[in-house]
Amino acid sequence: MSLAVAKRRSGADGVRPRPGTAARDRAAWFLVLPALLPILILSVGPLLYGIALAFTDAQSGRTRSTQWIGTLNFQDLLHDTLFWDSFRIGLLWAFGVTVPQFLLALGLALLLNQKLRLRWLARALAIIPWAMPEVVVGIMWRLVYNPDAGILNETIRDLGLGDGRDWLTGLATALPAVILVGIWAGMPQTTVALLAGLQNTPHELHEAAALDGAGAWRRFRTVTWPAIKPIALAISALNLIWNFNSFALVYVLTSGGPGGRTRLPMLFAYEEAFRYGQFGYAAAMGCVMVAVISVILACYLVGRISAGGEQR
């Protein structure tokens, strides 16, 4: 048998191809397709359509024709001080919620990981805010912040600390008040993720560190934190993206007021699209926010890849 015939029969690399490989690949794609179709239709498709819309002058109204205007929307956006104010507020909101949220959730996770009496009840109560829809959370906290009959002002009056104030309409208090609600609403999911990481940390490592004379802080720094660091980075990146994209909670609480002090980028884009009918301009804002989110994801992925290389 010639060498060429042998290669054709065994494959170019000298290994006989396994029968039915192509059929299995087609079957695998057929099984994955039902999961991919909703993603393509409901996520990728609207994203691509929104990017294309950003390069047009699309406005509300059936009779109005849409024209391709190139990068004009983005040029106008560069000089839109209202949008960049909302962008700054969005960053303040995102970091102002994510950082305290993580620190408080870490403390709560460490507490719930201890062998306490009724620990199961404490864990159940800790995830209640997570189970509540954002609209319900917003309505509930509006009642808490109510200037006349809200529980917060009533408590201040009962303690003799003053007459209270209108927290959600004050220029100086609106954003901190909304940030507090965001921390409360998002802390349970961070707590659950960190608690899962703590429970997967081998207890023998803590015992060995304790036998070596390590205190609580040293055990946390050398044993606990390295074990939960990947989870902490992942949940922090997700929380930062989620908080930057927040809409429903702030919309119910303040609708972006007072005076735009809580107008997040999503709220600003929503108003441009559905209040003023500037769909193309709002789509350009969405593209900028997608770019910011992509940068956050890229930083997270680079950090994970670098951490993986160091571990190897």
Side-chain angles (χ1 to χ4, degrees):
M1 182 184 297
S2 65
L3 181 60
V5 174
K7 285 186 176 181
R8 284 198 300 269
R9 290 188 178 182
S10 61
D13 55 356
V15 179
R16 184 180 296 275
R18 297 177 63 183
T21 301
R24 282 197 299 270
D25 290 343
R26 287 194 297 269
W29 277 107
F30 182 77
L31 293 174
V32 172
L33 191 60
L36 288 178
L37 280 178
I39 297 175
L40 293 174
I41 296 174
L42 301 177
S43 297
V44 178
L47 175 62
L48 295 177
Y49 177 73
I51 293 175
L53 202 66
F55 296 92
T56 68
D57 62 348
Q59 298 180 10
S60 60
R62 288 187 175 183
T63 59
R64 192 184 183 285
S65 60
T66 299
Q67 303 294 328
W68 182 269
I69 60 173
T71 60
L72 186 59
N73 285 327
F74 294 95
Q75 295 175 22
D76 293 340
L77 203 59
L78 288 175
H79 305 287
D80 192 340
T81 57
L82 292 177
F83 172 74
W84 294 112
D85 284 343
S86 73
F87 195 85
R88 176 184 57 82
I89 293 171
L91 291 177
L92 288 175
W93 154 267
F95 284 97
V97 172
T98 302
V99 175
Q101 189 179 87
F102 173 79
L103 295 176
L104 292 173
L106 178 59
L108 183 58
L110 290 171
L111 179 63
L112 294 178
N113 195 44
Q114 303 299 317
K115 295 181 179 180
L116 303 175
R117 181 176 296 180
L118 298 178
R119 182 174 60 175
W120 62 271
L121 179 60
R123 289 179 176 178
L125 293 176
I127 64 174
I128 287 179
W130 193 14
M132 299 173 64
E134 286 188 319
V135 174
V136 175
V137 172
I139 294 173
M140 182 185 72
W141 277 90
R142 279 184 67 91
L143 296 175
V144 172
Y145 285 134
N146 187 281
D148 299 321
I151 186 174
L152 180 58
N153 280 344
E154 289 292 334
T155 302
I156 292 175
R157 296 187 189 102
D158 292 341
L159 294 176
L161 300 177
D163 295 330
R165 60 194 310 169
D166 196 345
W167 301 93
L168 294 177
T169 60
L171 295 177
T173 59
L175 185 59
V178 173
I179 287 176
L180 178 62
V181 179
I183 294 172
W184 182 85
M187 195 170 68
Q189 61 182 1
T190 308
T191 302
V192 171
L194 294 176
L195 183 58
L198 291 173
Q199 291 178 338
N200 288 328
T201 304
H203 188 66
E204 294 78 8
L205 296 178
H206 291 278
E207 293 179 348
L211 291 175
D212 290 339
W217 168 247
R218 186 178 177 185
R219 290 200 304 272
F220 173 81
R221 184 169 54 85
T222 59
V223 177
T224 303
W225 178 248
I228 66 172
K229 183 178 178 180
I231 298 176
L233 293 177
I235 194 65
S236 297
L238 291 175
N239 284 339
L240 190 62
I241 294 171
W242 178 265
N243 291 325
F244 186 75
N245 285 329
S246 291
F247 175 80
L249 185 62
V250 180
Y251 183 79
V252 173
L253 284 169
T254 63
S255 298
R261 294 300 176 91
T262 60
R263 186 188 289 129
L264 304 182
M266 279 292 182
L267 283 171
F268 193 80
Y270 171 82
E271 290 179 351
E272 288 293 324
F274 298 104
R275 179 176 295 181
Y276 305 114
Q278 302 293 329
F279 294 139
Y281 193 53
M285 296 179 187
C287 290
V288 173
M289 287 182 277
V290 169
V292 173
I293 293 170
S294 300
V295 170
I296 296 174
L297 283 175
C299 293
Y300 167 70
L301 292 175
V302 168
R304 291 292 297 141
I305 293 172
S306 300
E310 292 175 359
Q311 290 177 357
R312 287 194 297 270

